[in-house]
Amino acid sequence: MENTKNIIELKHITKTYEDGFTAVSDFNLEVKQGEFITFLGPSGCGKTTTLRMIAGFDIPSGGEILLNGKSITELPPNKRPINTVFQRYALFPHMNIFDNIAFGLKQKNTPKSKIVKKVKKALELVDLEGFENRSVSTLSGGQQQRVAIARAVVNEPQILLLDEPLGALDLKMRKEMQLELKAMHRELGITFIYVTHDQEEALTMSDKIVVMSEGKMQQIGTPEDIYNEPQNAFVADFIGDSNILDGIMIEDRLVEILGAKFECVDVGFGKNKPVDVVIRPEDIDLVKPEEGTIRGRVTHLIFKGVHYEMEVTVNGFELLVHSTDLFPVGQEVGIHVDPFDIQIMNKPESEDEEAAAIEE
């Protein structure tokens, strides 16, 4: 049975600093017990500030944070059943691995026999059995990160916060650790709240992704929702490669882009309304010129291993296309897109007003 209980609720959370800068604005979020939630966004979007407020390192300027239905907004970090893993592992270099992991338990005066048992279990979880007496300086970056995770989970927190924890690792190590963290999450059954600016990392690991920009939530949903149904141009542009085109919604299920009419599945936008249209590169089919909705010419080609990446110029616009079929540079092609693969979005309000002013 799916867990429907909220462990954490953020209600109208705002963080404004003394210089007047607002890092997080009217942020609302419900996190279910045992979920793996990722805050995703570019640098400076407010994701780490939000994480720090959940941890208790920063106090919100407004709003409320509830844990299991009770307010913890003013509670200091050491009184919250929450542990944080940072990008800089913050391990104690003068202590061996055992003492690093046992540090929090010793602070709580946990009996020695219990500490030994818990540290052993934590080391097994992060695949570092037998490392108890090793020095921190003898470990690789990936191993140090595992010790930092073991140190956090040994306290059996209700929530584990992870702030770009794989940022310092090389690509191969990151990919391995992504899968290990996901497996750890399943095994521990506790709530993970993860911060990253890496889209692939978010799509690989999360149950739910919160896309952030300029202190505001842009969209929340499953990785599939976020990728396949972006709610605005920022999300579409930030998650994976996209073609974002100006379009005119002629009527329900019919949109004009690049000077041609394409069938789509969206309704309710009105008639002859300017819209943003998103088409993923892998959703464009290149066909014989006479079989396409519109024609274009291949102007650029790169082999990417799994697929070819091509640029196809259509009425002066360069479309990005991913295909396993090769179409050489200079070849004329037809463009076909299934109606289901055309995403229609309202333009941001400021652009709408500009378009209306131009028309007048």
Side-chain angles (χ1 to χ4, degrees):
M1 194 180 92
E2 196 183 335
N3 201 327
T4 54
K5 185 173 169 242
N6 287 336
I7 187 164
I8 276 269
E9 290 175 64
L10 275 58
K11 297 189 165 186
H12 305 290
I13 291 296
T14 296
K15 181 65 182 176
T16 302
Y17 290 98
E18 284 173 6
D19 61 2
F21 173 69
T22 298
V24 178
S25 175
D26 194 23
F27 190 88
N28 293 281
L29 179 67
E30 293 180 354
V31 181
K32 303 266 181 280
Q33 195 154 357
E35 270 190 315
F36 195 129
I37 296 266
T38 299
F39 293 161
L40 174 68
S43 294
C45 72
K47 55 191 188 294
T48 293
T49 305
T50 307
L51 200 77
R52 288 177 61 83
M53 288 191 282
I54 295 170
F57 302 129
D58 279 348
I59 302 296
S61 318
E64 194 175 25
I65 299 174
L66 303 179
L67 175 74
N68 295 319
K70 294 190 176 69
S71 176
I72 57 163
T73 315
E74 303 285 336
L75 210 60
N78 60 342
K79 295 276 195 292
R80 302 183 185 203
I82 295 171
N83 274 76
T84 308
V85 178
F86 298 100
Q87 181 175 345
R88 292 183 293 282
Y89 317 130
L91 299 175
F92 302 115
H94 60 285
M95 292 182 188
N96 67 13
I97 304 309
F98 181 92
D99 290 335
N100 260 287
I101 295 171
F103 184 76
L105 296 172
K106 287 177 178 171
Q107 299 289 98
K108 294 177 188 164
N109 297 319
T110 310
K112 183 97 173 40
S113 60
K114 213 170 179 185
I115 290 178
V116 171
K117 217 191 237 159
K118 286 188 166 203
V119 171
K120 191 172 182 307
K121 188 167 184 300
L123 281 167
E124 280 171 15
L125 184 73
V126 296
D127 228 5
L128 290 176
E129 299 99 318
F131 274 64
E132 287 86 342
N133 299 317
R134 291 271 296 268
S135 154
V136 170
S137 60
T138 65
L139 304 185
S140 68
Q143 288 170 329
Q144 288 188 31
Q145 184 54 282
R146 287 173 205 206
V147 173
I149 290 164
R151 186 177 61 185
V153 300
V154 81
N155 297 307
E156 296 173 0
Q158 291 183 33
I159 299 170
L160 188 63
L161 307 179
L162 301 112
D163 189 5
E164 307 239 5
L166 310 184
L169 305 179
D170 64 55
L171 187 64
K172 187 167 183 291
M173 191 75 223
R174 277 183 86 136
K175 294 212 179 297
E176 283 174 18
M177 280 299 292
Q178 284 170 18
L179 299 175
E180 284 185 28
L181 270 174
K182 188 78 182 145
M184 255 182 246
H185 173 254
R186 274 197 301 271
E187 194 172 325
L188 286 165
I190 62 176
T191 306
F192 276 31
I193 302 179
Y194 195 94
V195 160
T196 184
H197 60 270
D198 184 316
Q199 302 89 324
E200 193 184 331
E201 198 160 277
L203 292 167
T204 302
M205 297 169 74
S206 324
D207 297 326
K208 216 183 258 176
I209 298 174
V210 176
V211 184
M212 294 181 70
S213 170
E214 297 180 347
K216 291 190 169 75
M217 186 191 293
Q218 299 294 319
Q219 187 170 349
I220 179 167
T222 63
E224 291 86 352
D225 290 341
I226 298 283
Y227 188 85
N228 293 324
E229 302 283 341
Q231 280 175 6
N232 58 38
F234 174 83
V235 176
D237 202 28
F238 194 73
I239 305 277
D241 291 322
S242 289
N243 294 291
I244 301 177
L245 308 135
D246 288 325
I248 302 285
M249 200 71 189
I250 294 166
E251 59 188 26
D252 284 355
R253 300 189 180 84
L254 191 65
V255 63
E256 185 178 311
I257 29 178
L258 303 169
K261 290 173 182 164
F262 285 79
E263 289 177 15
C264 61
V265 295
D266 294 82
V267 297
F269 284 86
K271 292 197 171 188
N272 299 319
K273 176 139 191 293
V275 288
D276 281 330
V277 181
V278 175
I279 305 174
R280 296 283 182 192
E282 66 272 20
D283 290 335
I284 296 174
D285 295 323
L286 299 184
V287 293
K288 291 177 182 160
E290 62 278 9
E291 290 173 7
T293 309
I294 194 170
R295 296 180 184 213
R297 193 173 293 279
V298 179
T299 47
H300 204 71
L301 170 70
I302 305 172
F303 177 57
K304 286 285 188 125
V306 181
H307 61 257
Y308 294 97
E309 183 173 290
M310 290 166 274
E311 279 177 13
V312 179
T313 302
V314 183
N315 288 347
F317 186 91
E318 287 187 342
L319 276 179
L320 185 66
V321 180
H322 291 169
S323 173
T324 50
D325 299 324
L326 167 64
F327 293 84
V329 170
Q331 184 167 331
E332 193 184 10
V333 291
I335 306 284
H336 172 78
V337 187
D338 286 338
F340 187 77
D341 291 325
I342 296 175
Q343 305 295 329
I344 309 292
M345 301 179 303
N346 284 311
K347 282 191 170 293
E349 281 162 19
S350 57
E351 284 185 37
D352 272 355
E353 284 159 17
E354 280 171 29
I358 291 164
E359 278 173 26
E360 281 169 23

